[in-house]
Amino acid sequence: MNNLKRFAKYLIPYKSYFGASIFFNFMYSLFSALSMLSLMPVMNVLFKDGEKVYLQPQINGIGDLNKATIESYLNYFITNNTNINGPLSTLLWMMLFMILAFFCKNLFAYLSMIYMTYLNNGVLKDLRNDVYRKVTSLNVAFFSGEKKGDLMARMTSDIATIKTTFMSAITMIGREPLTLLFTLGAMIWISWKLTLFVLVFLPISGFMISRLGKTIKNISGDIFAMEGSLLSRIEETLGGVKIIKNFTAENYFKNRFRDQSEEINTMNNVIGARMSMAGPLSEFLGIISISVIFVFGGMLVLIDKTLTGSTFITYIALAYQILTPAKTIAKASHAIQAGNAASERVQFILDAGNPLKDKENATVIKGFKHQIKFNNISFKYGNEDYVLKDFNLTLPIGKTVALVGESGSGKSTLANLITRFYDVQEGSITFDGVDIKDVTTKSLRQQMGIVAQDSILFNDTIANNISLGIESADQEAIVAAAKIANAHNFISEFPDGYQSNVGDGGGSLSGGQRQRVAIARAVLKNPPIMILDEATSALDTESEKLVQDALENMMQNRTSLVIAHRLSTVKNADLIVVMRKGRIVEQGTHDQLLQLGGTYTNLVNLQSLEVN
């Protein structure tokens, strides 16, 4: 329950629903007791147990409403109506009263559930929105250490579990205790001696039921974690189905999935058996209590003569009614154990720290005027070795700087650092002389457009992929950007043109088409700085030519940082920086580097580049 207290703040926007639900729960609980008490006059009529009262009792005020006067007035009505209209008429009146009591009970139960449903759905919506908002605000490093499937499970099934737990908890708090209270009140009203005897057995029953829930939380937490892992497995399978089939690895993946699924099944069976035992056990213990009550109550009816037979039957009905809220509370307490485990997993996301969070009063960048400088920076991922060490570089406005070198030399890391997906451990990166740690991340990234090797497209229309992040983008501007990116012609060939859906991950487009849509997206953003991270390395020769032309169109009159594997794409760069193991080993223009006859020349020869 402690973990769930944190989510109580989500009730505040729906306090009116909560208040209405509590009120209707109060009325439901009241009429639950009254509906059982309504059996007593019916029994009195059937068995002629009630006292004969011929004079109408006088009730002068609310102070006169006690057990004796109420019973006297009821017995007067039964006696008088039976004498005038006969016993059948009296029975019909008593049945009408009982039907009305049960109708009100169920009406208020329905109304309370309606408002509780509105409450829970609202809490679910707000919690989902908060978790999604937090996920989109976290830094890239957070996701590199987490499984996507597990995060998806935390954001979906775990939140749904919290919602269900909320429903159980509110029901347990708002309805069942009141039902118990009113029912016990009615039982005390009938016979305090018998009720005192009943209360001896309730703590014993509650203690035995509580023993079942001790391990449920731990088992539930393990199940949630394994289901998240299973979801990751499914996501990997769907994403790599071609590779799995090409390497005939179907059996390997089937066996891994089957083993994990079997383990989850076993744990679900264990927790299911424990939770299923709560209701039957509480009912069985209740029946034992009822049996003992029959013996003790029978003594009051047959020997002590303080109870009539009809009153005792009504009392038994009330005592049995206690079993329903008792079972609900037992089940709710077990559900709360599972909800605690789910809430811990959701809190992991909500509590995740963001080391890249903007500083208070951070500077807002409003344009690029001079240069970006890497000032003696050093960087490493986690506990790994340094990827960059004592690195210095200047990116002047209006110039194209290319980074080349072997894989793992730190080229793409520089792109991640300049966009502040990560922060350097040593040194600084300045934007027009201001440390990028002191500016807002949003304004920094607004100055930059990125075209990466893996062109990420979303399952939406081509137009919406091009205008990503731009609200109400003009169609003419979208078309103009597509023309610069050499994408307009192939887009126009689709039946729906710019409104054609690209499919999941852009699967309905070829690699070159996806890349040109990504370039059009960067063009429409129209930033002063372009970052190209091996944007043509995964393309065939024909597609590379089209994309390269699009990139050259895009880079006109812009500052560009080009990370390249194919050296043919950087021949015309203003500065080519050759990197190895996180350090600069050579830099200069294409011709200057060839004259050195060093690392760059070796790279050119390896790629059989024709030197003009």
Side-chain angles (χ1 to χ4, degrees):
M1 195 70 179
N2 290 334
N3 289 329
L4 291 173
K5 288 180 181 178
R6 169 171 179 171
F7 298 100
K9 67 178 182 180
Y10 291 97
L11 296 174
I12 296 174
Y14 307 99
K15 56 181 179 293
S16 59
Y17 293 152
F18 182 70
S21 178
I22 291 296
F23 171 74
F24 289 125
N25 278 330
F26 176 87
M27 298 303 295
Y28 162 82
S29 301
L30 175 62
F31 277 93
S32 289
L34 289 177
S35 63
M36 289 294 105
L37 285 174
S38 67
L39 290 172
M40 190 161 61
V42 174
M43 297 297 173
N44 285 340
V45 174
L46 287 174
F47 301 114
K48 299 179 181 180
D49 272 347
E51 180 185 354
K52 305 299 181 183
V53 178
Y54 297 96
L55 295 177
Q56 182 175 351
Q58 296 298 316
I59 301 177
N60 298 318
I62 195 168
D64 293 336
L65 289 176
N66 52 45
K67 179 182 178 184
T69 55
I70 291 174
E71 284 184 344
S72 295
Y73 197 89
L74 183 61
N75 288 330
Y76 165 75
F77 175 82
I78 293 173
T79 303
N80 187 55
N81 191 75
T82 301
N83 289 335
I84 297 173
N85 301 312
L88 183 59
S89 172
T90 305
L91 179 62
L92 289 175
W93 276 108
M94 294 301 101
M95 292 300 299
L96 182 62
F97 173 70
M98 185 177 72
I99 290 171
L100 181 62
F102 274 94
F103 172 78
C104 291
K105 168 189 172 182
N106 287 282
L107 174 64
F108 290 126
Y110 167 75
L111 292 174
S112 70
M113 289 302 297
I114 284 290
Y115 283 99
M116 199 175 293
T117 299
Y118 295 159
L119 169 68
N120 275 270
N121 288 337
V123 168
L124 176 66
K125 177 200 68 175
D126 292 347
L127 182 55
R128 276 179 175 164
N129 289 341
D130 276 3
V131 172
Y132 189 84
R133 191 182 302 116
K134 182 59 181 284
V135 165
T136 55
S137 71
L138 290 171
N139 61 311
V140 175
F142 173 82
F143 301 98
S144 63
E146 300 296 329
K147 296 178 180 178
K148 285 191 291 184
D150 187 57
L151 290 176
M152 290 168 62
R154 293 173 190 261
M155 297 172 67
T156 52
S157 59
D158 288 353
I159 290 178
T161 299
I162 292 174
K163 175 205 170 185
T164 303
T165 304
F166 250 100
M167 177 75 83
S168 298
I170 293 173
T171 300
M172 186 181 73
I173 294 170
R175 173 183 292 185
E176 307 310 336
L178 285 172
T179 303
L180 283 171
L181 182 64
F182 282 117
T183 303
L184 282 172
M187 291 166 65
I188 293 171
W189 186 71
I190 292 175
S191 173
W192 67 268
K193 291 181 181 179
L194 193 53
T195 304
L196 186 63
F197 184 77
V198 169
L199 292 177
V200 174
F201 293 92
L202 290 181
I204 299 174
S205 176
F207 173 77
M208 294 182 68
I209 293 171
S210 66
R211 297 281 295 179
L212 290 173
K214 285 193 172 181
T215 60
I216 286 179
K217 177 185 173 183
N218 293 333
I219 298 175
S220 297
D222 293 339
I223 289 175
F224 293 143
M226 293 187 68
E227 285 179 343
S229 179
L230 197 69
L231 198 58
S232 291
R233 192 83 66 206
I234 294 171
E235 191 269 336
E236 285 179 347
T237 302
L238 295 177
V241 66
K242 290 182 179 179
I243 299 297
I244 293 172
K245 290 184 176 297
N246 183 260
F247 284 86
T248 62
E250 291 94 339
N251 287 336
Y252 172 72
F253 279 86
K254 285 178 189 175
N255 292 337
R256 281 207 309 175
F257 188 88
R258 182 198 62 217
D259 293 343
Q260 196 165 1
S261 182
E262 185 65 33
E263 191 171 354
I264 292 175
N265 178 63
T266 301
M267 297 177 73
N268 273 323
N269 287 339
V270 171
I271 196 171
R274 290 178 179 271
M275 294 185 70
S276 298
M277 193 184 297
L281 179 61
S282 62
E283 184 167 347
F284 177 71
L285 292 173
I287 289 296
I288 293 176
S289 300
I290 292 290
S291 300
V292 176
I293 292 169
F294 261 108
V295 175
F296 187 78
M299 293 170 58
L300 297 179
V301 174
L302 300 174
I303 300 173
D304 199 47
K305 304 293 185 180
T306 55
L307 284 179
T308 64
S310 58
T311 304
F312 181 59
I313 292 174
T314 303
Y315 188 93
I316 291 297
L318 285 166
Y320 192 80
Q321 182 170 275
I322 287 182
L323 297 180
T324 299
K327 285 192 293 184
T328 302
I329 291 175
K331 290 180 179 178
S333 64
H334 292 166
I336 288 172
Q337 295 299 323
N340 270 326
S343 67
E344 287 179 359
R345 286 169 50 79
V346 174
Q347 286 176 36
F348 169 78
I349 295 177
L350 292 174
D351 293 339
N354 185 3
L356 304 185
K357 186 177 181 180
D358 291 343
K359 296 180 179 178
E360 292 186 13
N361 302 318
T363 304
V364 177
I365 298 175
K366 297 183 178 179
F368 182 44
K369 301 175 182 177
H370 302 295
Q371 62 186 12
I372 295 175
K373 291 191 68 175
F374 297 87
N375 302 300
N376 204 37
I377 67 168
S378 296
F379 175 79
K380 61 181 178 179
Y381 295 98
N383 296 322
E384 299 176 7
D385 294 334
Y386 278 97
V387 180
L388 295 167
K389 189 66 178 176
D390 301 326
F391 184 89
N392 292 278
L393 182 66
T394 299
L395 180 60
I397 188 171
K399 301 294 183 180
T400 298
V401 175
L403 303 175
V404 301
E406 59 190 14
S407 297
S409 59
K411 305 185 299 296
S412 295
T413 297
L414 286 172
N416 288 332
L417 293 175
I418 197 175
T419 50
R420 212 181 168 214
F421 289 148
Y422 297 88
D423 271 343
V424 296
Q425 281 88 20
E426 300 174 22
S428 65
I429 302 173
T430 57
F431 188 103
D432 286 341
V434 180
D435 193 323
I436 63 173
K437 293 181 180 180
D438 298 326
V439 304
T440 63
T441 306
K442 181 178 180 180
S443 67
L444 173 68
R445 292 172 184 165
Q446 284 176 336
Q447 310 305 315
M448 304 175 188
I450 300 177
V451 181
Q453 176 181 352
D454 297 324
S455 49
I456 305 298
L457 300 185
F458 299 94
N459 196 346
D460 206 337
T461 63
I462 294 175
N464 287 342
N465 271 283
I466 293 175
S467 62
L468 184 68
I470 301 175
E471 296 183 5
S472 304
D474 183 75
Q475 182 65 23
E476 293 182 0
I478 293 174
V479 173
K483 287 180 178 178
I484 293 174
N486 284 339
H488 177 70
N489 290 340
F490 83 78
I491 294 174
S492 301
E493 292 175 358
F494 287 111
D496 296 324
Y498 284 82
Q499 298 306 312
S500 300
N501 196 288
V502 302
D504 188 25
S508 63
L509 306 180
S510 68
Q513 290 172 335
R514 287 197 299 271
Q515 201 70 314
R516 281 178 277 167
V517 170
I519 293 171
R521 182 165 60 196
V523 171
L524 186 62
K525 184 180 180 182
N526 194 29
I529 303 167
M530 283 292 180
I531 300 172
L532 311 179
D533 189 356
E534 299 190 1
T536 64
S537 63
L539 303 178
D540 57 78
T541 304
E542 182 179 356
S543 296
E544 180 185 356
K545 179 65 171 64
L546 290 170
V547 171
Q548 187 60 38
D549 291 342
L551 291 173
E552 290 175 359
N553 292 336
M554 180 183 66
M555 288 190 295
Q556 290 181 9
N557 302 319
R558 284 191 175 90
T559 306
S560 301
L561 180 66
V562 182
I563 299 167
H565 175 69
R566 297 183 183 179
L567 302 183
S568 58
T569 61
V570 298
K571 285 177 59 177
N572 299 322
D574 297 297
L575 178 67
I576 300 174
V577 177
V578 184
M579 297 180 62
R580 180 191 296 161
K581 296 182 179 180
R583 298 178 184 272
I584 297 175
V585 292
E586 294 175 357
Q587 57 181 317
T589 64
H590 173 73
D591 292 334
Q592 290 172 343
L593 292 174
L594 286 178
Q595 290 177 4
L596 290 177
T599 303
Y600 183 77
T601 303
N602 292 333
L603 291 173
V604 170
N605 291 334
L606 287 172
Q607 294 189 21
S608 301
L609 178 67
E610 182 179 356
V611 181
N612 295 320

